[in-house]
Amino acid sequence: MRLVTMTLIMGVALTASSQAETKYFGAVDLGSRGTKGSLYKIDVDDPESNPETVFYKTINTKLVSTMKDGMFTAEGMAEAAAAVKQLVEEMDRDAKKLESTSDRYYVTGSSGVAMAKNKEKLVDKVKDVTGIKMDFIDAKLKATTVCFQPCHIADGHIRCTWTSAAAIPRWAVSSAAWIS
């Protein structure tokens, strides 16, 4: 989940406006053991608030387990892209229940997924299926993260949400230690 929030917060920093409002952002983490989607509610004017998770779901895929010679298979890429599409559609549905829509969706591949020789084909497949450009996180960025939100229990596991302090404005890290 940490790379999902890193992607989310970077996007919030770029798209937050000066008007009083709540925004919804969807983030999808396309990882080696599954595809995780989160919809976040963010009060961009309240420096004391943290993003609130209003949707979270994991879909297990065979993206990595079906790899051959360091390359994703067509079957694995199709399944992963379909999982991304399903999560985005479910987040849209939940946002509409909140009488809103998501302001933006982000799809980020994990550092493990980024090591595939044909990762650009996965990017193309996700874009074809969802219309969303996928990015990747690398090990260096992953290593420079700091804890952003308290941990919570989800799917029987303790989960912490992480973000890079350098990537977000001060208003977004009021509850975390700011690294100058």
Side-chain angles (χ1 to χ4, degrees):
M1 263 343 278
R2 59 185 152 206
L3 80 99
V4 168
T5 299
M6 286 191 314
T7 303
L8 167 76
I9 299 302
M10 285 184 237
V12 171
L14 295 173
T15 60
S17 71
S18 60
Q19 299 176 7
E21 63 185 314
T22 297
K23 291 188 173 268
Y24 292 85
F25 293 88
V28 178
D29 169 6
L30 207 160
S32 59
R33 292 189 299 198
T35 304
K36 297 163 267 316
S38 295
L39 181 65
Y40 296 95
K41 174 183 171 184
I42 299 172
D43 182 350
V44 295
D45 290 323
D46 183 359
E48 300 300 316
S49 71
N50 283 317
E52 176 186 341
T53 305
V54 295
F55 172 93
Y56 177 81
K57 182 175 179 178
T58 299
I59 299 174
N60 292 322
T61 65
K62 300 175 192 165
L63 177 66
V64 172
S65 65
T66 60
M67 286 178 80
K68 293 183 179 155
D69 299 320
M71 297 177 71
F72 298 126
T73 62
E75 172 194 5
M77 288 187 288
E79 183 184 40
V84 172
K85 181 179 180 183
Q86 179 183 337
L87 290 168
V88 168
E89 288 172 350
E90 289 181 24
M91 286 187 277
D92 264 346
R93 183 198 66 228
D94 280 20
K96 286 177 183 156
K97 285 181 189 175
L98 298 167
E99 297 179 6
S100 182
T101 59
S102 177
D103 292 292
R104 180 132 186 216
Y105 288 102
Y106 301 89
V107 178
T108 304
S110 70
S111 58
V113 170
M115 292 191 287
K117 294 175 187 175
N118 63 339
K119 69 181 182 184
E120 292 308 316
K121 286 189 176 187
L122 177 62
V123 170
D124 294 342
K125 185 69 173 174
V126 168
K127 176 90 172 170
D128 288 346
V129 171
T130 67
I132 302 168
K133 172 133 176 26
M134 178 181 169
D135 292 308
F136 292 94
I137 187 169
D138 61 22
K140 183 178 178 182
L141 180 59
K142 201 176 202 180
T144 61
T145 58
V146 295
C147 189
F148 178 71
Q149 280 186 223
C151 297
H152 63 281
I153 297 175
D155 300 332
H157 300 284
I158 296 175
R159 302 213 182 264
C160 295
T161 308
W162 300 81
T163 191
S164 170
I168 55 178
R170 288 185 187 270
W171 62 262
V173 293
S174 59
S175 65
W178 181 258
I179 298 174
S180 299

